[in-house]
Amino acid sequence: AQKVTQAQTEISVVEKEDVTLDCVYETRDTTYYLFWYKQPPSGELVFLIRRNSFDEQNEISGRYSWNFQKSTSSFNFTITASQVVDSAVYFCALSEVDSNTGKLIFGQGTTLQVKP
Amino acid sequence: KAGVTQTPRYLIKTRGQQVTLSCSPISGHRSVSWYQQTPGQGLQFLFEYFSETQRNKGNFPGRFSGRQFSNSRSEMNVSTLELGDSALYLCASSLQEWDGVQYFGPGTRLTVT
């Protein structure tokens, strides 16, 4: 069965610290997409990144980087030199293409608090 | 380009009533999905529409229904409201059917008393 697990419920760091948010997924599909979304207090989910199951290259975008490892079914997200504006709830999500469902399966979310 | 818009943003209803929520997707997007977010259950998929057809439905009772119009705008309806239906209802639109990135609206906060 498909499932996304974000084991860290809450993380608190001090500004400028690096922080890694963990995501582990389960799927039987061979073709799938993985996503990270950010949900600030306003409530709107903001898209951060999408990776497909055939592309295990790590990606860096500014202070954000993502590490995708199929061998461990993980798709971790690292924020380098965190800032107060990074405080939000972060969701990892899975979309199974083989199943043609088009739906996103979300993890429970990790609340990140960055203190000044 | 304007993002996904949802109306109303906040709603208070009484048990037993029904409610209709509206979603306007990003211009050109033909796929619209709905999700329910609660503190206990997290983000759960409700249904997805593409070209006015419901393509997939989540594990919710029949009280939850939706539709999509020819201009891709979508509505969801919840009949006979229960206290447990209090949640943030999020709508998302995407350009492609199965693997498109879903862009979310600000949500409708529904409170059932």
Side-chain angles (χ1 to χ4, degrees), chain A residues 41-86:
Chain A
S42 61
E44 183 171 339
L45 283 166
V46 178
F47 166 73
L48 295 178
I49 188 173
R50 179 186 74 171
R51 302 298 298 211
N52 74 54
S53 51
F54 299 107
D55 183 2
E56 287 191 70
Q57 273 194 326
N58 291 333
E59 182 154 340
I60 298 174
S61 176
R63 296 184 297 105
Y64 295 171
S65 63
W66 292 269
N67 179 261
F68 176 28
Q69 291 193 335
K70 281 180 81 169
S71 60
T72 56
S73 297
S74 65
F75 185 45
N76 297 336
F77 172 31
T78 297
I79 302 175
T80 303
S82 60
Q83 300 176 1
V84 173
V85 293
D86 295 327

Side-chain angles (χ1 to χ4, degrees), chain B residues 89-101:
Chain B
Y89 290 88
L90 292 161
C91 168
S93 75
S94 72
L95 194 57
Q96 297 162 285
E97 287 179 71
W98 308 119
D99 58 359
V101 172

Side-chain angles (χ1 to χ4, degrees), chain A residues 33 37 39 50 100 102 104, chain B residues 35 37 56 98-99 102 104:
Chain A
Y33 286 91
Y37 283 87
Q39 187 176 41
R50 179 186 74 171
N100 284 343
L104 290 172
Chain B
Y35 294 83
Q37 185 176 23
N56 195 19
W98 308 119
D99 58 359
Q102 294 187 25
F104 285 80

Side-chain angles (χ1 to χ4, degrees), chain B residues 6 11 17 22 59 61 78 82-83 85-86 95 100 103:
Chain B
Q6 293 186 244
L11 208 47
Q17 289 186 314
S22 181
N59 189 24
V78 187
E82 300 178 359
L83 294 179
D85 297 332
S86 294
L95 194 57
Y103 295 93

